[in-house]
Amino acid sequence: MRHKDFVSRYLSEVTPTAFELEAGEEFHVIGAGPAQFRVTLHKPLSRRELLRSTSLALGEAYMRGDLEVDRDLYEVLDQFLGDMERFRTDRRALRSLLHTSLSPKDQRQEVTSHYDIGNDFYQLWLDETMSYSCGYFPREDTTLFEAQVGKVDHILRKLALKPGMTILDIGCGWGFLIKRAVLHYGVHAVGITLSQEQHRKVTQEIQEEHLEGRMAVKLMDYRELKTCGMEFDRVVSVGMIEHVGRGNYGAFLDCVSSVLKPGGLFLLHFISGQEEHEGDPWIRKYIFPGGVIPSLREIMDLLPRRRFRTLDVESLRRHYTRTLLCWKENFQKHRATIRQRYGDEFARMWELYLASCAAAFHNGVVDLHQLLLSKGVNNDLPMTRVV
């Protein structure tokens, strides 16, 4: 089979949507029905790479600029990412890439490779709260800033905080949640992170705003919680368990239990999958090395044996689609600066990451769940869902 015929057949099998394909002087329509967009190939796609991984082959071609589309990237991806089961993945060839190390050293390196790109980079396209997780959009006109403040308040209200309580944030990011808990709910807060950049920024803010004694941030692996000697009324973790790795979820929950008082509440906010999956090869290679998305059911299965009672389960999937589109819009506004600082391939990589994740959430490939749990029975909470 000629290479161009192979590429056309391959793309028709993995892409359910009809589109125009332009390669050199050749031009034709892939799939049945009216074409929804045009793909231009400036260089031929590798047969070997296509057979190895659809997402890697197409993702790397886009990063290099070998592949272009004539519509907004999210709009294009949104039309076919719901059929990702069509994608090819040679798991034997990608065994080392799809393997997740559970060692503290490797996981620290994987986490910092993403979050320590630099605070200046994230400040370009996140909102003023520096929240790098799903926002909460109760209204159509809610801004990204309002959504991130709203998300934090949504979490803190669920935790039924009272002045004087103590709260731990595992994977505290740039610290907005613990600072808001201290300033608006009157609690004492501790955050832990593996990111040097995040730790530096939160520490500086604590000093500048004279919050010593009310909040603190520590460079700490969650596994150190078992021997830290601390105890808390409430624990929260937002977007961190995705870095724990399949095989360590039980150990993570054990560490939470070790610092949570009896009757205390734990809110777990995480990206979830419908089923257990090792993850997308392109995301694993370029964005979140070692990252694994747990399914809701595998987390739920681990809770009873650790005496965690499930009080509330909420999906915020569509909120994450909108969050990612806001980030993508901000990113595009600063794209020239990002390209100048980090290079065109880096800018195209991050554009693809934000657009593909937005499409994945929109198509239900992944979800976002908040679980509210109590350690043992807690009969002192409101009997209706806090909104």
Side-chain angles (χ1 to χ4, degrees):
M1 182 184 298
R2 293 183 305 169
H3 181 73
K4 65 177 182 179
D5 294 331
F6 165 79
V7 171
S8 296
R9 180 177 174 182
Y10 179 97
L11 293 176
S12 68
E13 290 176 351
V14 301
T15 310
T17 304
F19 65 95
E20 299 173 347
L21 179 64
E22 181 181 358
E25 297 181 355
E26 298 194 12
F27 173 86
H28 55 285
V29 175
I30 304 293
Q36 300 301 307
F37 53 89
R38 175 181 291 190
V39 174
T40 300
L41 293 178
H42 299 295
K43 291 184 180 179
L45 295 171
S46 163
R47 180 194 297 250
R48 176 176 176 274
E49 294 303 318
L50 286 168
L51 292 175
R52 185 166 172 256
S53 168
T54 301
S55 67
L56 272 176
L58 298 183
E60 290 177 339
Y62 186 82
M63 287 166 57
R64 294 190 301 264
D66 297 343
L67 184 156
E68 301 276 5
V69 295
D70 69 341
R71 284 183 60 181
D72 178 85
L73 186 58
Y74 164 74
E75 294 177 357
V76 171
L77 295 172
D78 191 45
Q79 296 189 51
F80 67 86
L81 281 193
D83 289 289
M84 285 186 71
E85 65 271 9
R86 295 169 175 255
F87 282 19
R88 292 174 181 256
T89 303
D90 185 341
R91 287 173 173 78
R92 290 188 64 182
L94 300 174
R95 185 169 55 247
S96 60
L97 176 63
L98 297 177
H99 169 73
T100 297
S101 172
L102 301 182
S103 77
K105 179 181 177 182
D106 290 342
Q107 289 188 332
R108 182 182 295 270
Q109 290 175 343
E110 290 164 354
V111 168
T112 57
S113 72
H114 185 89
Y115 296 97
D116 282 350
I117 293 173
N119 292 339
D120 291 346
F121 169 66
Y122 289 102
Q123 285 171 333
L124 287 173
W125 53 275
L126 295 180
D127 70 291
E128 299 95 311
T129 72
M130 289 290 284
S131 295
Y132 189 24
S133 58
C134 175
Y136 185 70
F137 294 85
R139 305 180 315 277
E140 189 62 34
D141 62 349
T142 299
T143 66
L144 178 60
F145 171 76
E146 291 169 338
Q148 293 296 5
V149 174
K151 180 268 302 294
V152 169
D153 283 338
H154 191 59
I155 288 171
L156 298 178
R157 284 194 297 266
K158 284 184 179 182
L159 289 170
L161 296 174
K162 296 179 182 178
M165 281 185 172
T166 55
I167 183 172
L168 170 69
D169 186 354
I170 303 175
C172 66
W174 285 278
F176 181 75
L177 185 148
I178 54 174
K179 185 161 73 172
R180 189 161 181 85
V182 168
L183 296 178
H184 292 265
Y185 294 81
V187 302
H188 291 78
V190 174
I192 66 172
T193 179
L194 292 177
S195 168
Q196 296 275 355
E197 287 285 290
Q198 292 175 346
H199 180 266
R200 178 173 61 82
K201 185 176 187 299
V202 181
T203 299
Q204 181 179 347
E205 289 185 3
I206 290 172
Q207 295 170 350
E208 290 175 349
E209 300 180 34
H210 307 292
L211 295 174
E212 300 93 335
R214 301 176 65 188
M215 65 179 281
V217 61
K218 300 177 183 293
L219 276 173
M220 178 186 290
D221 189 288
Y222 73 89
R223 282 162 279 219
E224 299 175 60
L225 291 172
K226 275 196 169 183
T227 57
C228 72
M230 296 185 289
E231 191 176 42
F232 298 89
D233 299 295
R234 304 288 189 259
V235 176
V236 61
S237 183
V238 177
M240 181 272 177
I241 200 171
E242 298 90 325
H243 300 289
V244 164
R246 183 163 287 120
N248 269 1
Y249 300 141
F252 173 79
L253 293 170
D254 288 337
C255 290
V256 172
S257 181
S258 71
V259 295
L260 186 60
K261 295 178 182 178
L265 302 184
F266 171 41
L267 188 137
L268 179 63
H269 170 121
F270 67 106
I271 299 172
S272 60
Q274 284 291 99
E275 298 180 345
E276 297 73 40
H277 193 271
E278 67 267 34
D280 175 75
W282 185 84
I283 291 285
R284 292 285 300 258
K285 182 174 181 179
Y286 290 101
I287 307 299
F288 290 116
V292 179
I293 297 173
S295 70
L296 177 61
R297 66 184 175 190
E298 66 183 317
I299 298 301
M300 297 295 289
D301 183 62
L302 295 169
L303 300 176
R305 72 195 73 171
R306 290 165 178 84
R307 297 189 65 245
F308 280 117
R309 303 296 183 104
T310 304
L311 305 177
D312 190 70
V313 179
E314 183 178 15
S315 168
L316 299 178
R317 176 180 63 82
R318 290 185 295 170
H319 293 262
Y320 218 159
T321 300
R322 187 163 167 187
T323 303
L324 282 152
L325 291 177
C326 288
W327 288 344
K328 176 176 169 289
E329 181 180 358
N330 290 344
F331 186 90
Q332 294 294 64
K333 288 177 181 177
H334 297 280
R335 186 178 181 129
T337 299
I338 293 168
R339 187 190 302 118
Q340 183 179 19
R341 290 183 186 177
Y342 303 98
D344 186 60
E345 187 167 308
F346 178 93
R348 294 176 69 88
M349 177 181 76
W350 273 81
E351 178 200 8
L352 178 57
Y353 158 55
L354 296 172
S356 64
C357 286
F361 279 102
H362 190 240
N363 283 278
V365 177
V366 286
D367 209 317
L368 189 289
H369 280 99
Q370 282 187 359
L371 307 185
L372 181 64
L373 313 168
S374 64
K375 182 179 175 180
V377 174
N378 186 321
N379 292 324
D380 298 326
L381 301 172
M383 292 176 64
T384 57
R385 170 180 273 182
V386 176
V387 293

